Amino acid sequence: MKSSAQVVVIGGGVVGASVLYHLTELGWTDVVLVERTELTAGSTWHAAGGMHTLNGDPNVAKLQQYTVGLYREIEQRSGQNCSIHMSGGLTLAGDRERMDWLRMAQARGRYLGMDMEIISAAEAKRMFPLLEEQYFIGALFDPAEGHVDPTGVTRAYAGCARQAGAEIYQHTWVSDLRQRPDGTWDVITDAGEIHAEHIVNAGGLWAREVGRMIGLELPVLAMEHMYLITEDMAEVAEHNAATGHELPMAMDFDGELYIRQEGGGMLLGTYEQACVPWSPRETPWTFDQQLLAPDLDRIAPSLEIAFKHYPALADAGIKKVINGPFTFAPDGNPLVGPVPGVRNCWMACAVMAGFSRGGGVGLTLARWMVDGDPGEDIWAMDVARFGNWASLAYTNAKVRESYSRRFRITFPNEELPAGRALHTTPVYDRLTARNAVWGASFGLEHPLWFQRPGEEPREDVTFRRSNAFPVVADECMMVRERVGLTECSNFAKYRVTGAGSADWLQGLFTNRLPRAGRINLTAALDPNGHIVGEFSVARVGTDDFFLFGSQIAEAHHSRWFLGHLADDVRFDVLGLSLVGLSLAGPGARDVLQSVTDASLATENYPFMTFRRIDVGMIPAYVGRMTYTGDLGYEIWVAPEYQRALFDLLWQAGQPHGIGLFGFRALMSLRMEKAFGTWAREYRPIYTPVQARMHRSLKLDHDFIGHAAVDAELARGPARTLGYFDITPDPAEPADVAGDEPIWHGGAVVSVRLRAGRARGARRDVRGGDHRPAPSGEVAPRAGARPGGPSHARLMGRP
Ligand SMILES: Cc1cc2nc3c(=O)[nH]c(=O)nc-3n(C[C@H](O)[C@H](O)[C@H](O)COP(=O)(O)OP(=O)(O)OC[C@H]3O[C@@H](n4cnc5c(N)ncnc54)[C@H](O)[C@@H]3O)c2cc1C
């Protein structure tokens, strides 16, 4: 065994093998994989090997597409048979909502060049004669689906990696991980120690235990999962003889099951509602290529539907029942990337669909390690999308929800209930009493909108306009015409202090730093010029700054800042130690002025001012800016003052017709001013030039990514952010929800990015405080009215 290596990959399942292969592909060949027993010994060996590209998130779909396309190549190069069956796949819909979902998935797939086709139930029956047509109204056919041999694929990855110089040590258990002061690792195994620059946790069923070796509690949980294989069936033989090919795979939303041909019989798996976590606290190291006891009673409801939808199955004998464990993260997506706050430590775990996603996970992680950039928008898989709040119990609740909803639609406006309410701010009860409809983001509850008095605070989930639409439109009008109050605690807040803070931030940010008492907007870039984040920077002293950013990216951004930290700088994540309320609308100044002695007149408190003042008796930092773009203020206080602040502003606002507004109205209002936001317009695959962040770009100082910006400005951007009005069908209005393709001249040219769903009313605002400005307090664009066209931002060719 080597005593040192550039990378040690821990775990020889399909994911670890894929990471190893991709590292060698990118030129890192001093890499080893350590496997405690034999390759595939975790959840890989007993997988059903099904693979598909279809995914509601186009970024994940793209990586699945890459994975499926890789198998022929690794088979040829390694000489290892992967038993690739490209049978094609049907996703069957039994009702209108599921057809809507299929249309959405097909549309999103188009800009990835995915060749999927919506077909009738009758056509589905022709392709898959086992089904009863009456239970379906249509289907999506994807030719790029099929199944592989899990062991063959894992060995093929390993074989290719070995050919390139990688080494694999089987029957070698990593028992401990110790980091040296220089950030390198001592990997302690039962066969000796390896000194490694980087470690990768691809421990699958034991990823949590590997994490604990370095004090991490990863949000990962294994679930039991069952599938059964029937005896050979005459119907299958007939189809094979008549068509010369095997039956396609089928995913059946209603039955929550998947079904495919296996030899001369059928393989049937289900994501049952009565799902069961496996080893909820600790995975035993003694578990080794074992299966769990089958429990057919647990999947009986799904089997009942299966026998109804595919009657031939009811008469087929069961040859084998497989029950095995595999891992999930709370939202069902993998955990990939560098662990925040731990140098040279990488994750590739919680991959619940290793044969659809394993290749993409390996590719992006290897690029991230080798190039410093995953090369794709992998936000949905970033290990940093969870914070410390994702405890063992939270993970358990969310994973059970995620497993049981595997075949359920999550609507664009849907908020899932498990693991809530976990994080709340002090005004939670006050807002609940005023009929708030709550959403959760990064674990924190935040008000989405406020239902009318006397009506139930609940939103219909739909692809179309929900019952929230007219109420949110009213909230927008209220902000436009009077004054609105909302909670803004769901920003990420950071404080940067220390003698070197100004120099440090200036080297990270594209904009010049503001003067003391002022705020400005800025971007941070990676060396390739891609957007890492976008922040409001408020300066309260020479070397004292508050940063405000996107809350969902709090761990992601902290990782970036801490990864670049200078010795003479202190960087603190403020979390809920600083909470906020925001006033917005033409009456905002009058309301706030009535409760503070500080003069808020424009000459004393101009737009983009940030100061410490007293609001009533409450010590607060007050920034004159709003994300709605209206005259307004963000008022930041310690949590113990938030209730008093709310009561004070609410009371003071009564003569001005104050009302509450939520996140939906905020997203709509900001969209009208073309204010971008993280994970929507601003994504790590775009540059500030493409995203039109020119006002935040000042090229007179050095910052990370400067050279890349210069080069792009010289050659011109390959694509730019655009802004469109979309007129929905008046008979059945549905607003764009995100990632829809844009057609031009009969071809898909681009994709519409996620955005606020409900659109606000608008009016032309003249005079007063409203004037064109770099950001904030701007007149909205002409166009949108309730029931009229909706706004969308698009990233397209210029
Ligand atoms: C019944 C069933 C059916 C499935 N069907 C499908 C399907 O059709 N399609 C699909 O895409 N997915 C399917 N899956 C899921 C699939 O099995 C997983 O996504 C995949 O196996 C995950 O691979 P992995 O490499 O992350 O983890 P694992 O396969 O668990 O591999 C982890 C490896 O790490 C090793 N290891 C852990 N800790 C250490 C240590 N400290 N030292 C050394 N080695 C260590 C383990 O021994 C193990 O071999 C199914 C799962 C089940 C249970």
Side-chain angles (χ1 to χ4, degrees), residues 763-770 779:
R763 66 183 172 86
D764 289 333
V765 184
R766 295 187 191 88
D769 229 84
H770 299 273

Side-chain angles (χ1 to χ4, degrees), residues 675-717:
F675 293 172
T677 189
W678 174 253
R680 292 180 169 95
E681 295 82 359
Y682 304 148
R683 294 182 179 192
I685 46 172
Y686 301 140
T687 67
V689 180
Q690 293 169 353
R692 298 203 168 160
M693 302 170 88
H694 294 81
R695 291 195 186 104
S696 300
L697 264 183
K698 297 287 179 302
L699 299 172
D700 57 0
H701 65 282
D702 201 20
F703 57 84
I704 294 175
H706 193 305
V709 173
D710 288 343
E712 188 177 28
L713 285 171
R715 69 174 180 269

Side-chain angles (χ1 to χ4, degrees), residues 141-218:
F141 177 68
D142 181 0
E145 291 193 8
H147 54 100
V148 285
D149 167 29
T151 302
V153 163
T154 309
R155 288 191 183 145
Y157 279 132
C160 291
R162 275 199 190 102
Q163 284 170 10
E167 294 189 12
I168 296 177
Y169 308 123
Q170 301 190 68
H171 301 286
T172 306
W173 175 49
V174 174
S175 58
D176 203 4
L177 297 162
R178 294 182 198 140
Q179 191 160 35
R180 296 187 183 180
D182 66 356
T184 61
W185 292 91
D186 288 318
V187 180
I188 319 298
T189 82
D190 51 5
E193 291 187 15
I194 310 174
H195 178 223
E197 192 180 335
H198 301 271
I199 53 168
V200 177
N201 178 356
L205 290 177
W206 295 267
R208 210 175 25 180
E209 285 65 31
V210 172
R212 285 175 187 158
M213 291 177 190
I214 54 172
L216 293 176
E217 192 59 54
L218 292 171

